[in-house]
Amino acid sequence: MSAPTRIGPLPPGPSRPRPRATAPSTRLHWWALALPALAFGLLLLLLAGSGEAHAATGEVSGLVQVAEQLLRAVG
């Protein structure tokens, strides 16, 4: 008596076309665009305000004030 065997699908050949692959998802999350834009904006502000450094006088720069306000609003 012979054991039952399973025959798998045939490999694609010249007479049998390959099945079409499904398209990958190309949808971006909101943070994939927002976080790099936010980082770019903050770095641009740092570069723009670097000419007005007030380290010796002890004054707080406008960038630090804006960052503190943002942290208060978020946290």
Side-chain angles (χ1 to χ4, degrees), residues 18-48:
R18 290 184 174 187
R20 297 189 87 185
T22 58
S25 176
T26 57
R27 200 172 146 204
L28 288 175
H29 295 285
W30 65 269
W31 48 262
L33 293 174
L35 289 179
L38 179 66
F40 177 77
L42 288 175
L43 287 174
L44 190 63
L45 281 173
L46 282 172
L47 286 173

mmCIF file of all heavy atoms in Angstrom, residues 18-48:
data_model
loop_
_atom_site.group_PDB
_atom_site.id
_atom_site.type_symbol
_atom_site.label_atom_id
_atom_site.label_comp_id
_atom_site.label_asym_id
_atom_site.label_seq_id
_atom_site.Cartn_x
_atom_site.Cartn_y
_atom_site.Cartn_z
ATOM 1 N N ARG A 18 3.595 33.867 -14.190
ATOM 2 C CA ARG A 18 3.776 34.074 -12.750
ATOM 3 C C ARG A 18 2.591 34.850 -12.187
ATOM 4 O O ARG A 18 2.041 35.715 -12.854
ATOM 5 C CB ARG A 18 5.048 34.879 -12.481
ATOM 6 C CG ARG A 18 6.288 34.135 -12.764
ATOM 7 C CD ARG A 18 7.475 34.965 -12.370
ATOM 8 N NE ARG A 18 8.680 34.171 -12.522
ATOM 9 C CZ ARG A 18 9.859 34.562 -12.138
ATOM 10 N NH1 ARG A 18 10.014 35.742 -11.597
ATOM 11 N NH2 ARG A 18 10.898 33.785 -12.296
ATOM 12 N N PRO A 19 2.233 34.574 -10.942
ATOM 13 C CA PRO A 19 1.158 35.368 -10.336
ATOM 14 C C PRO A 19 1.641 36.794 -10.071
ATOM 15 O O PRO A 19 2.811 37.033 -9.794
ATOM 16 C CB PRO A 19 0.867 34.635 -9.032
ATOM 17 C CG PRO A 19 2.054 33.792 -8.764
ATOM 18 C CD PRO A 19 2.706 33.509 -10.083
ATOM 19 N N ARG A 20 0.737 37.739 -10.171
ATOM 20 C CA ARG A 20 1.097 39.153 -9.965
ATOM 21 C C ARG A 20 1.309 39.409 -8.479
ATOM 22 O O ARG A 20 0.546 38.954 -7.643
ATOM 23 C CB ARG A 20 -0.008 40.059 -10.481
ATOM 24 C CG ARG A 20 -0.204 39.910 -11.978
ATOM 25 C CD ARG A 20 -1.122 40.949 -12.459
ATOM 26 N NE ARG A 20 -0.286 42.110 -12.760
ATOM 27 C CZ ARG A 20 -0.755 43.266 -13.125
ATOM 28 N NH1 ARG A 20 -2.039 43.447 -13.207
ATOM 29 N NH2 ARG A 20 0.051 44.265 -13.386
ATOM 30 N N ALA A 21 2.344 40.160 -8.188
ATOM 31 C CA ALA A 21 2.629 40.532 -6.802
ATOM 32 C C ALA A 21 1.716 41.691 -6.400
ATOM 33 O O ALA A 21 1.371 42.545 -7.205
ATOM 34 C CB ALA A 21 4.089 40.945 -6.656
ATOM 35 N N THR A 22 1.346 41.703 -5.138
ATOM 36 C CA THR A 22 0.512 42.804 -4.659
ATOM 37 C C THR A 22 1.384 44.032 -4.443
ATOM 38 O O THR A 22 2.557 43.924 -4.087
ATOM 39 C CB THR A 22 -0.177 42.428 -3.343
ATOM 40 O OG1 THR A 22 0.825 42.103 -2.384
ATOM 41 C CG2 THR A 22 -1.089 41.233 -3.536
ATOM 42 N N ALA A 23 0.823 45.181 -4.647
ATOM 43 C CA ALA A 23 1.569 46.435 -4.509
ATOM 44 C C ALA A 23 1.801 46.738 -3.030
ATOM 45 O O ALA A 23 0.901 46.561 -2.210
ATOM 46 C CB ALA A 23 0.795 47.571 -5.154
ATOM 47 N N PRO A 24 2.990 47.178 -2.657
ATOM 48 C CA PRO A 24 3.243 47.526 -1.258
ATOM 49 C C PRO A 24 2.510 48.814 -0.890
ATOM 50 O O PRO A 24 2.209 49.646 -1.739
ATOM 51 C CB PRO A 24 4.758 47.717 -1.193
ATOM 52 C CG PRO A 24 5.145 48.051 -2.585
ATOM 53 C CD PRO A 24 4.170 47.327 -3.480
ATOM 54 N N SER A 25 2.237 48.961 0.373
ATOM 55 C CA SER A 25 1.547 50.154 0.843
ATOM 56 C C SER A 25 2.503 51.349 0.809
ATOM 57 O O SER A 25 3.602 51.290 1.347
ATOM 58 C CB SER A 25 1.048 49.934 2.265
ATOM 59 O OG SER A 25 0.457 51.096 2.756
ATOM 60 N N THR A 26 2.087 52.435 0.177
ATOM 61 C CA THR A 26 2.943 53.613 0.055
ATOM 62 C C THR A 26 2.416 54.775 0.877
ATOM 63 O O THR A 26 2.800 55.911 0.666
ATOM 64 C CB THR A 26 3.058 54.040 -1.417
ATOM 65 O OG1 THR A 26 1.742 54.280 -1.913
ATOM 66 C CG2 THR A 26 3.746 52.980 -2.237
ATOM 67 N N ARG A 27 1.528 54.497 1.812
ATOM 68 C CA ARG A 27 0.943 55.557 2.624
ATOM 69 C C ARG A 27 1.874 55.935 3.764
ATOM 70 O O ARG A 27 2.394 55.078 4.466
ATOM 71 C CB ARG A 27 -0.370 55.045 3.192
ATOM 72 C CG ARG A 27 -1.276 56.124 3.617
ATOM 73 C CD ARG A 27 -2.613 55.570 3.990
ATOM 74 N NE ARG A 27 -3.070 56.408 5.073
ATOM 75 C CZ ARG A 27 -3.943 56.047 5.965
ATOM 76 N NH1 ARG A 27 -4.458 54.856 5.913
ATOM 77 N NH2 ARG A 27 -4.301 56.863 6.903
ATOM 78 N N LEU A 28 2.095 57.249 3.954
ATOM 79 C CA LEU A 28 2.961 57.740 5.016
ATOM 80 C C LEU A 28 2.138 58.127 6.233
ATOM 81 O O LEU A 28 1.008 58.576 6.117
ATOM 82 C CB LEU A 28 3.747 58.967 4.549
ATOM 83 C CG LEU A 28 4.852 58.729 3.542
ATOM 84 C CD1 LEU A 28 5.435 60.064 3.097
ATOM 85 C CD2 LEU A 28 5.939 57.878 4.137
ATOM 86 N N HIS A 29 2.724 57.953 7.395
ATOM 87 C CA HIS A 29 2.099 58.433 8.612
ATOM 88 C C HIS A 29 2.320 59.934 8.716
ATOM 89 O O HIS A 29 3.225 60.504 8.107
ATOM 90 C CB HIS A 29 2.714 57.738 9.827
ATOM 91 C CG HIS A 29 2.442 56.273 9.860
ATOM 92 N ND1 HIS A 29 1.224 55.755 10.199
ATOM 93 C CD2 HIS A 29 3.229 55.213 9.582
ATOM 94 C CE1 HIS A 29 1.271 54.444 10.142
ATOM 95 N NE2 HIS A 29 2.475 54.086 9.762
ATOM 96 N N TRP A 30 1.505 60.608 9.529
ATOM 97 C CA TRP A 30 1.601 62.056 9.644
ATOM 98 C C TRP A 30 2.944 62.472 10.209
ATOM 99 O O TRP A 30 3.505 63.487 9.826
ATOM 100 C CB TRP A 30 0.465 62.611 10.498
ATOM 101 C CG TRP A 30 0.522 62.165 11.927
ATOM 102 C CD1 TRP A 30 -0.079 61.068 12.467
ATOM 103 C CD2 TRP A 30 1.244 62.788 12.987
ATOM 104 N NE1 TRP A 30 0.215 60.979 13.784
ATOM 105 C CE2 TRP A 30 1.031 62.015 14.156
ATOM 106 C CE3 TRP A 30 2.043 63.918 13.079
ATOM 107 C CZ2 TRP A 30 1.589 62.348 15.369
ATOM 108 C CZ3 TRP A 30 2.602 64.234 14.303
ATOM 109 C CH2 TRP A 30 2.368 63.459 15.425
ATOM 110 N N TRP A 31 3.505 61.686 11.123
ATOM 111 C CA TRP A 31 4.750 62.069 11.765
ATOM 112 C C TRP A 31 5.955 61.849 10.853
ATOM 113 O O TRP A 31 7.018 62.395 11.098
ATOM 114 C CB TRP A 31 4.940 61.337 13.085
ATOM 115 C CG TRP A 31 4.707 59.856 13.015
ATOM 116 C CD1 TRP A 31 3.578 59.184 13.349
ATOM 117 C CD2 TRP A 31 5.637 58.860 12.582
ATOM 118 N NE1 TRP A 31 3.737 57.847 13.138
ATOM 119 C CE2 TRP A 31 5.001 57.611 12.676
ATOM 120 C CE3 TRP A 31 6.955 58.915 12.119
ATOM 121 C CZ2 TRP A 31 5.631 56.441 12.322
ATOM 122 C CZ3 TRP A 31 7.577 57.728 11.769
ATOM 123 C CH2 TRP A 31 6.913 56.513 11.874
ATOM 124 N N ALA A 32 5.798 61.068 9.801
ATOM 125 C CA ALA A 32 6.911 60.845 8.876
ATOM 126 C C ALA A 32 7.250 62.123 8.104
ATOM 127 O O ALA A 32 8.371 62.274 7.625
ATOM 128 C CB ALA A 32 6.564 59.725 7.896
ATOM 129 N N LEU A 33 6.312 63.035 7.999
ATOM 130 C CA LEU A 33 6.575 64.328 7.365
ATOM 131 C C LEU A 33 6.714 65.444 8.392
ATOM 132 O O LEU A 33 7.493 66.366 8.213
ATOM 133 C CB LEU A 33 5.456 64.675 6.383
ATOM 134 C CG LEU A 33 5.353 63.778 5.161
ATOM 135 C CD1 LEU A 33 4.123 64.140 4.343
ATOM 136 C CD2 LEU A 33 6.596 63.893 4.302
ATOM 137 N N ALA A 34 5.948 65.346 9.486
ATOM 138 C CA ALA A 34 5.935 66.429 10.469
ATOM 139 C C ALA A 34 7.238 66.505 11.260
ATOM 140 O O ALA A 34 7.754 67.604 11.498
ATOM 141 C CB ALA A 34 4.755 66.252 11.421
ATOM 142 N N LEU A 35 7.781 65.385 11.678
ATOM 143 C CA LEU A 35 8.994 65.413 12.498
ATOM 144 C C LEU A 35 10.219 65.948 11.743
ATOM 145 O O LEU A 35 10.935 66.800 12.281
ATOM 146 C CB LEU A 35 9.272 64.038 13.091
ATOM 147 C CG LEU A 35 8.298 63.600 14.186
ATOM 148 C CD1 LEU A 35 8.656 62.209 14.690
ATOM 149 C CD2 LEU A 35 8.258 64.582 15.323
ATOM 150 N N PRO A 36 10.496 65.508 10.521
ATOM 151 C CA PRO A 36 11.627 66.113 9.806
ATOM 152 C C PRO A 36 11.418 67.604 9.524
ATOM 153 O O PRO A 36 12.362 68.393 9.595
ATOM 154 C CB PRO A 36 11.707 65.322 8.501
ATOM 155 C CG PRO A 36 11.064 64.035 8.791
ATOM 156 C CD PRO A 36 9.995 64.334 9.794
ATOM 157 N N ALA A 37 10.173 68.006 9.234
ATOM 158 C CA ALA A 37 9.906 69.425 8.993
ATOM 159 C C ALA A 37 10.123 70.236 10.268
ATOM 160 O O ALA A 37 10.683 71.338 10.226
ATOM 161 C CB ALA A 37 8.476 69.607 8.477
ATOM 162 N N LEU A 38 9.699 69.701 11.400
ATOM 163 C CA LEU A 38 9.905 70.385 12.677
ATOM 164 C C LEU A 38 11.392 70.488 13.009
ATOM 165 O O LEU A 38 11.874 71.547 13.432
ATOM 166 C CB LEU A 38 9.167 69.644 13.790
ATOM 167 C CG LEU A 38 9.291 70.220 15.187
ATOM 168 C CD1 LEU A 38 8.616 71.576 15.250
ATOM 169 C CD2 LEU A 38 8.698 69.274 16.191
ATOM 170 N N ALA A 39 12.124 69.408 12.791
ATOM 171 C CA ALA A 39 13.568 69.428 13.059
ATOM 172 C C ALA A 39 14.273 70.428 12.148
ATOM 173 O O ALA A 39 15.158 71.171 12.591
ATOM 174 C CB ALA A 39 14.152 68.029 12.857
ATOM 175 N N PHE A 40 13.879 70.477 10.893
ATOM 176 C CA PHE A 40 14.478 71.435 9.966
ATOM 177 C C PHE A 40 14.191 72.865 10.410
ATOM 178 O O PHE A 40 15.076 73.718 10.397
ATOM 179 C CB PHE A 40 13.945 71.204 8.548
ATOM 180 C CG PHE A 40 14.459 72.190 7.542
ATOM 181 C CD1 PHE A 40 15.739 72.076 7.035
ATOM 182 C CD2 PHE A 40 13.660 73.243 7.111
ATOM 183 C CE1 PHE A 40 16.218 72.985 6.112
ATOM 184 C CE2 PHE A 40 14.123 74.159 6.187
ATOM 185 C CZ PHE A 40 15.414 74.029 5.686
ATOM 186 N N GLY A 41 12.967 73.123 10.804
ATOM 187 C CA GLY A 41 12.609 74.467 11.253
ATOM 188 C C GLY A 41 13.376 74.884 12.495
ATOM 189 O O GLY A 41 13.847 76.023 12.596
ATOM 190 N N LEU A 42 13.516 73.976 13.451
ATOM 191 C CA LEU A 42 14.262 74.306 14.665
ATOM 192 C C LEU A 42 15.741 74.549 14.374
ATOM 193 O O LEU A 42 16.345 75.472 14.924
ATOM 194 C CB LEU A 42 14.098 73.200 15.700
ATOM 195 C CG LEU A 42 12.722 73.122 16.369
ATOM 196 C CD1 LEU A 42 12.640 71.914 17.285
ATOM 197 C CD2 LEU A 42 12.415 74.394 17.122
ATOM 198 N N LEU A 43 16.322 73.747 13.517
ATOM 199 C CA LEU A 43 17.724 73.963 13.158
ATOM 200 C C LEU A 43 17.906 75.275 12.396
ATOM 201 O O LEU A 43 18.902 75.978 12.592
ATOM 202 C CB LEU A 43 18.241 72.790 12.313
ATOM 203 C CG LEU A 43 18.477 71.492 13.073
ATOM 204 C CD1 LEU A 43 18.838 70.371 12.110
ATOM 205 C CD2 LEU A 43 19.560 71.663 14.110
ATOM 206 N N LEU A 44 16.946 75.606 11.566
ATOM 207 C CA LEU A 44 17.015 76.872 10.852
ATOM 208 C C LEU A 44 16.929 78.055 11.820
ATOM 209 O O LEU A 44 17.651 79.041 11.684
ATOM 210 C CB LEU A 44 15.888 76.942 9.821
ATOM 211 C CG LEU A 44 15.942 78.093 8.825
ATOM 212 C CD1 LEU A 44 17.195 77.979 7.967
ATOM 213 C CD2 LEU A 44 14.710 78.072 7.947
ATOM 214 N N LEU A 45 16.075 77.933 12.837
ATOM 215 C CA LEU A 45 15.995 78.983 13.857
ATOM 216 C C LEU A 45 17.294 79.094 14.647
ATOM 217 O O LEU A 45 17.735 80.197 14.982
ATOM 218 C CB LEU A 45 14.834 78.699 14.807
ATOM 219 C CG LEU A 45 13.444 79.061 14.311
ATOM 220 C CD1 LEU A 45 12.396 78.576 15.289
ATOM 221 C CD2 LEU A 45 13.327 80.549 14.096
ATOM 222 N N LEU A 46 17.906 77.964 14.937
ATOM 223 C CA LEU A 46 19.186 77.995 15.654
ATOM 224 C C LEU A 46 20.259 78.699 14.834
ATOM 225 O O LEU A 46 21.045 79.486 15.369
ATOM 226 C CB LEU A 46 19.641 76.581 15.998
ATOM 227 C CG LEU A 46 18.951 75.921 17.186
ATOM 228 C CD1 LEU A 46 19.367 74.457 17.272
ATOM 229 C CD2 LEU A 46 19.294 76.643 18.462
ATOM 230 N N LEU A 47 20.294 78.411 13.550
ATOM 231 C CA LEU A 47 21.294 79.048 12.693
ATOM 232 C C LEU A 47 21.013 80.537 12.517
ATOM 233 O O LEU A 47 21.931 81.356 12.511
ATOM 234 C CB LEU A 47 21.332 78.368 11.324
ATOM 235 C CG LEU A 47 21.987 76.997 11.286
ATOM 236 C CD1 LEU A 47 21.807 76.372 9.911
ATOM 237 C CD2 LEU A 47 23.451 77.098 11.629
ATOM 238 N N ALA A 48 19.754 80.898 12.383
ATOM 239 C CA ALA A 48 19.402 82.301 12.159
ATOM 240 C C ALA A 48 19.664 83.142 13.405
ATOM 241 O O ALA A 48 20.051 84.306 13.303
ATOM 242 C CB ALA A 48 17.937 82.400 11.763
#
